[in-house]
Each structure stands twice: as structure tokens, then as C-alpha cells.
Amino acid sequence: QVHVIESGGGLVQTGGSLRLSCLNSGRPFSDYVMGWFRQAPGKEREFVAAISRSAITTSYAAPVKGRFTISRDNAKNTVYLQLNSLKPEDTAVYYCAARATPRFSDTYDSVDDYHYWGTGTRVTVSS
């Protein structure tokens, strides 16, 4: 059974930064594409960022491009999401997701593409 566990959420002021972490128990970690999604109150879960198995490819949703950075450390089975220049509209529960794939450079941006999910970590940006 693969477990995905997020951490690092919290309350931050507009313009502030946070770093989210996600630990994936699946072995080897390098077999998994990793993604971040978020869900604001009353809204559907939406794609934020993804990183390929090899970290060669990253992809971002338009609202976060240039402000958020996804990275991974395969030795630590962990993926990170650095959130900079935070805005009140970034307030949401952030979910980490994983999908095993044989493809080294692919990323995925759909909820349906991922097989394993964490329970989320809440990010609140105050104005």
C-alpha cells in the first residue's frame, strides 16, 4: 500500500512564503510522477504543479507559474512545493498525488491521472 503524506501548511500573510513537503512510501520513489493539487472552499480540486520521475519535466498551472516551484529529492522519497508571493486566492487545502509510470519525462495535470492521494495540508493566506 502506498501512502502519501503532506506537511508544511499554515497561515501566512499576503506576499509570504511556505514550503510544502510530501512523503511517498512507494518504492522506489523514482517510479512515481508526483503532483500537487489544491481545493478551495466550494470549488473543485485543481491542478497546481507536477514533476516527472526524472525531474526533467515540470509543469504548472497558469495562476501559480513564476511563484511556485516543484522539486523532488528521490533519496528522501519527498517532493516539495515552494510557494512564494502568496495571495489570498491561494488559500486552499493542498493535496499531494502520486502515479507510478514507466515514462521518465511525463507529467500529468488531471485528478483522474493519479492513483494515490494524501489527506491534504491547509494553506491560508491572510490579506
Side-chain angles (χ1 to χ4, degrees):
Q1 183 73 16
V2 174
H3 297 283
V4 178
I5 303 171
E6 306 95 337
S7 61
L11 173 65
V12 65
Q13 291 186 334
T14 296
S17 298
L18 282 174
R19 189 176 81 156
L20 308 183
S21 300
C22 171
L23 179 65
N24 177 1
S25 69
R27 297 290 188 273
F29 177 66
S30 59
D31 278 2
Y32 294 84
V33 172
M34 300 299 296
W36 285 96
F37 290 74
R38 67 186 182 185
Q39 188 166 15
K43 295 188 176 182
E44 292 189 352
R45 193 170 298 189
E46 64 177 7
F47 171 73
V48 175
I51 188 165
S52 64
R53 288 180 55 185
S54 60
I56 289 176
T57 305
T58 58
S59 57
Y60 296 91
V64 308
K65 204 166 188 178
R67 300 188 297 122
F68 293 5
T69 302
I70 190 170
S71 61
R72 65 189 295 158
D73 185 339
N74 285 352
K76 296 183 177 179
N77 291 3
T78 300
V79 63
Y80 303 97
L81 186 68
Q82 179 68 39
L83 289 65
N84 295 332
S85 302
L86 282 161
K87 305 175 181 180
E89 52 264 43
D90 295 319
T91 295
V93 176
Y94 283 70
Y95 296 90
C96 182
R99 171 188 170 138
T101 176
R103 298 179 178 270
F104 283 97
S105 59
D106 285 4
T107 59
Y108 306 95
D109 60 6
S110 171
V111 169
D112 294 337
D113 288 328
Y114 290 85
H115 303 147
Y116 305 101
W117 291 84
T119 57
T121 185
R122 185 174 300 276
V123 172
T124 303
V125 184
S126 63
S127 56

